[in-house]
Amino acid sequence: MVPKKQQMAVIGAGLMGHGIALALAKAEQYIAITDPVQEVRDSVPDRIRASMVALGDDKVTISKTLKMIEIFPTTEGAVQKADAVFEAAPEKLELKKAIFAEIESNAPETCILASNTSVMPITQIMSDLRLKARALGTHWWNPPHMIPLVEVIKTEWTDRDVAQTMFDLLQAAGKTPVMVEKDVPGFIGNRLQHALWREAVSLVENGICDAEAVDTVIKSSFGRRLAVLGPMENADLVGTDLTLDIHENVLCDLEDRKGPSPYLKTLVETGKLGMRSGQGFRSWTEGEADAVRQRVATHLKQLEKTL
Ligand SMILES: NC(=O)c1ccc[n+]([C@@H]2O[C@H](COP(=O)([O-])OP(=O)(O)OC[C@H]3O[C@@H](n4cnc5c(N)ncnc54)[C@H](O)[C@@H]3O)[C@@H](O)[C@H]2O)c1
């Protein structure tokens, strides 16, 4: 049993930090959240309230959750009594290393230290710590209060019991944790996701289809099954022999380049940055971009009710 009302610190109150704080506070853990930017700190309660309203939470739950959250102006103050710290600051290695040095100087020695980096090796982030056995990765997915998965990443130094304690804590908070035994870039989820994206970009780059066709194929076929049928289950469902036959014939033709596609680099170099510039792989009006965001939020909310 994981005790409730432990003290959690969340470092960085942006998109991920506010959602991590929401998820843990809703699970009755005390939260100390901090951010160096005053406006970000000031907007935490309103942003959490808005996210909870969107989730369909009632007023009592929202008020109970907000009461579990205290906002601190400094990392030093936020981590003083922490049982676990979740760092959700910008994706910059030197910044994260500096933040963990500060956390280590101010948090209790028993406190678990977790980084929410998207793809950076946890080993690199934690390499200068004095007590490395208590450090690990917890890779939450956006939005963290709606997507169940959290990858718990061990480094070569991480104590097994520390990793298990974090796993149990996340599970008790209603998340779906998965243990990542080795610290590889992209962990599990982003390696799988970007293996798919590499092939998707390659199909467009090589004129096999346009970007819209890639999205339609995924959304209208295996994407429909993915939330309830993972690839390993699917391979067993159709048979490993059929899977082998398919791989014998198709793998030799798939994209296997080691770096990013030149097509993608050109998009970025020419300012085609996606929805925020109106043009990326596809062109977008503001209304179309909003509709996509709304569609994702509605879908995630419906999934929560049905799965
Ligand atoms: N956005 C995503 O979809 C997503 C998904 C998974 C993981 N992540 C990772 O989570 C982390 C945070 O991403 P985000 O999307 O929330 O970014 P964000 O820009 O929304 O939030 C980062 C916050 O950190 C604050 N900050 C800056 N310097 C800081 C410092 N020294 N100490 C504490 N806070 C500081 C910023 O003011 C900002 O509010 C990154 O490592 C990112 O790669 C992001």
Side-chain angles (χ1 to χ4, degrees), residues 2-196:
V2 175
K4 292 185 172 162
K5 300 192 171 168
Q6 297 185 94
Q7 184 69 47
M8 309 286 136
V10 178
I11 312 303
L15 187 66
M16 297 304 289
H18 103 281
I20 293 170
L22 188 173
L24 294 171
K26 205 169 158 182
E28 295 181 54
Q29 301 294 358
Y30 284 120
I31 308 298
I33 189 165
T34 186
D35 198 288
V37 179
Q38 171 100 42
E39 303 90 77
V40 176
R41 292 199 299 277
D42 291 348
S43 65
V44 165
D46 282 348
R47 284 186 288 134
I48 289 185
R49 192 176 292 107
S51 296
M52 293 188 78
V53 167
L55 278 175
D57 287 320
D58 59 42
K59 278 186 181 162
V60 177
T61 311
I62 295 173
S63 155
K64 252 174 87 178
T65 302
L66 286 172
K67 278 189 189 139
M68 301 299 287
I69 299 171
E70 196 177 348
I71 300 159
F72 284 78
T74 63
T75 295
E76 182 186 344
V79 303
Q80 288 289 332
K81 297 181 191 155
D83 295 301
V85 175
F86 296 86
E87 169 272 318
E91 188 77 345
K92 295 194 168 64
L93 180 61
E94 289 314 314
L95 175 70
K96 286 190 190 288
K97 288 177 84 162
I99 290 172
F100 276 104
E102 191 180 0
I103 295 169
E104 182 160 64
S105 315
N106 293 288
E109 292 214 336
T110 50
C111 175
I112 301 177
L113 312 187
S115 173
N116 188 52
T117 172
S118 297
V119 288
M120 278 190 227
I122 308 300
T123 307
Q124 282 181 22
I125 297 172
M126 307 298 185
S127 61
D128 295 338
L129 291 183
R130 188 170 57 83
L131 302 175
K132 299 183 182 65
R134 56 163 170 167
L136 41 68
T138 50
H139 181 227
W140 299 62
W141 287 66
N142 182 33
H145 48 288
M146 290 182 98
I147 302 273
L149 180 69
V150 184
E151 294 166 279
V152 177
I153 306 114
K154 294 178 189 168
T155 71
E156 60 180 294
W157 310 296
T158 309
D159 185 300
R160 293 175 68 86
D161 291 343
V162 167
Q164 191 59 48
T165 302
M166 176 55 79
F167 188 98
D168 294 344
L169 167 71
L170 293 165
Q171 200 164 46
K175 306 308 293 180
T176 304
V178 163
M179 202 68 94
V180 185
E181 299 293 340
K182 289 184 183 167
D183 181 25
V184 288
F187 319 125
I188 302 172
N190 268 326
R191 288 176 84 92
L192 292 168
Q193 182 168 230
H194 288 282
L196 176 65

Side-chain angles (χ1 to χ4, degrees), residues 251-273:
L251 288 193
C252 58
D253 204 54
L254 295 187
E255 184 58 70
D256 64 354
R257 103 173 17 108
K258 287 288 177 198
S261 136
Y263 184 93
L264 175 60
K265 284 186 176 169
T266 304
L267 286 183
V268 174
E269 282 160 13
T270 53
K272 295 178 177 166
L273 302 178

